[in-house]
Amino acid sequence: MQIATLYKDIKKDIQHIERRLTKVIDADHPILHKASIQLLRAGGKRIRPVFALLCADFGDRETKDEQVKAVATALELIHMASLVHDDVVDDADLRRGKPTIKKMYDDKTAIYTGDYILACSIEEMAKIKQKEVHKVLAKSLVNVVEGEISQIEDKYNINQNLRQYLRRIKRKTALLIASSCKLGALTAGTSKEDANRLFQYGYNVGMSFQIIDDILDFTSTTEKLGKPVGNDLLQGHITLPVLFAMEDPSFKQALENVFHDKTLITEQSIEHIVRLLLETDAIEQSYLVSNMYLQKALKSLEKLENIKTKKTLIKIAHKLGERSF
Ligand code: GRG
């Protein structure tokens, strides 16, 4: 079953967000216009707006409309802006299997396109009345940037530990997903307690989501990933499967031999490291950690009202656990 069939009840809302994104980023400047449209056409799963819209169901449906949709749109725009900047930082040519803005134009144009999209998200945010919503969003933006800076600091560091990795993925991924759940709820007028339960759900789903992303970087295919297998390692990023694999001293030595001299980091040498990693139990162990977060996500939902959307959130958590895309 496709994940989108799980949230068919909000299909119309998602279509609205899609039209709204096109309208919001419509730029006068020809380069910004072309780059932004290109970005929208490249698609994406839109999971942040999906979570915001679903979590709004725990609130007042009357107030759901405008405020929830504005926040859902703003969240997707922030996500898009961060990806455009990330592709510059990582010097990535492909995203979602399509050429990046950086590849189509250049680094500077990509940075300004990201800035522009971030500015568009502020325009949407200006429609939100609740002060708390602005605070949560500002905080998660600060966290995303901090997560990225620590990712640069931790590059090629084979002596980092599990805590450093978890802190990094919390900031770069989980908190924006957590905020999507919380803000969808808050803008629909849920209680603070329910909004916080949904934040916890989003946080745990987000952690699991990023761990699976990091697993798929080793187990998926270039076609599905839209980038080479082992790309994280090629970029010097030490993820959970690598941390587990490094418990085997011979694997750690092999990685150190490649990482100590950056000229040795090539697609071929990384292919070899990927093969060695797949011979260990690193992937199974990483799935266990991901499942632990999924269980926590399910637990966070327990005290919420038993509406239909609660079942949908449960199904999404299960589905994300089996994801291969
Ligand atoms: C401009 C807000 C801003 C920040 C700049 C570069 C940077 C700081 C942040 C990048 C953070 C980053 C790349 C996080 C990765 C998050 C993530 C899990 C991306 C993949 O999300 P999906 O699978 O993507 O939802 P799709 O393609 O489906 O939209």
Side-chain angles (χ1 to χ4, degrees), residues 45 48 79 82 85-86 96 141 148 172-173 209-210:
K45 297 181 284 300
R48 292 147 193 87
H79 167 62
S82 72
H85 282 180
D86 191 54
R96 299 159 173 164
L141 265 178
E148 285 303 289
K172 80 168 218 178
T173 305
F209 181 81
Q210 185 59 56

Side-chain angles (χ1 to χ4, degrees), residues 8 16 18 27 98-99 122 173 199 205 227 241 262 318 322:
K8 55 183 185 321
H16 168 92
E18 216 57 60
K98 307 223 168 58
I122 296 172
T173 305
F199 180 90
V205 161
K227 56 188 176 181
K262 299 220 169 55
H318 284 302
E322 323 160 348

